[in-house]
Amino acid sequence: MEQTLASLSRQTGVAVLDHLERSMRIPVVDGLQAQGDLIVIPLDAVAPAVRPAPDEPRFGAPSPWRDVPPEGVELLRAEAGGNTHTLVAEPGICRWTANVADDTGLAIGAFTASEVVYLLHPEHGASGCAPGTYVVRRQREHDRRRGGARFVAD
């Protein structure tokens, strides 16, 4: 189903800012994409440095993977408690886990989708992710003053 920013906002209850065009069709990307301080990378591009937990119960504990509900899953909230990045999917098509080993320490989770899913942010709008398995990471940038890397602040 083709989504617009207005329909995705209604589905999740996430209000988007007035400068965004709500009637526009949301683009779908099958590769790397960034949204503010968040970056979504196909798992194949970063494996074996990133290893999501297996999607199976272990030692009597439930699977660390969870279905993404229609209202979405909060992936990352701005440092000052502001706007969130939300993963949104129709029921039964996407699973999410925060249980990810990442050699860089940047991963906040991973998701696998059998159909198109969406990333929604009040300031940035939305983008679609084609079916596949993706890693969600914080973005970092070079800090000239301190001579190292820092997280991108959104």
Side-chain angles (χ1 to χ4, degrees), residues 14-66:
V14 174
V16 295
L17 299 183
D18 290 338
H19 72 277
L20 297 171
E21 177 54 55
R22 288 167 180 75
S23 64
M24 190 172 130
R25 182 182 61 84
I26 299 171
V28 176
V29 177
D30 67 355
L32 179 76
Q33 58 180 298
Q35 191 182 70
D37 51 353
L38 191 82
I39 190 162
V40 177
I41 308 166
L43 179 61
D44 291 346
V46 291
V50 179
R51 299 162 304 283
D55 189 4
E56 58 192 41
R58 301 192 81 192
F59 309 111
S63 171
W65 289 77
R66 301 282 179 256

Side-chain angles (χ1 to χ4, degrees), residues 65-118:
W65 289 77
R66 301 282 179 256
D67 289 336
V68 173
E71 65 275 10
V73 169
E74 182 179 301
L75 299 177
L76 184 63
R77 182 174 288 275
E79 289 181 17
N83 297 323
T84 61
H85 297 272
T86 304
L87 174 64
V88 182
E90 293 295 324
I93 67 165
C94 186
R95 294 184 50 81
W96 157 261
T97 185
N99 191 342
V100 177
D102 181 356
D103 294 347
T104 67
L106 296 171
I108 60 171
F111 66 89
T112 187
S114 59
E115 296 180 35
V116 174
V117 298
Y118 298 92

Side-chain angles (χ1 to χ4, degrees), residues 99-143:
N99 191 342
V100 177
D102 181 356
D103 294 347
T104 67
L106 296 171
I108 60 171
F111 66 89
T112 187
S114 59
E115 296 180 35
V116 174
V117 298
Y118 298 92
L119 300 172
L120 177 62
H121 188 274
E123 261 183 313
H124 306 301
S127 62
C129 296
T133 301
Y134 298 86
V135 174
V136 180
R137 282 179 163 173
R138 295 282 315 262
Q139 284 204 83
R140 63 183 170 187
E141 61 191 358
H142 180 70
D143 184 344

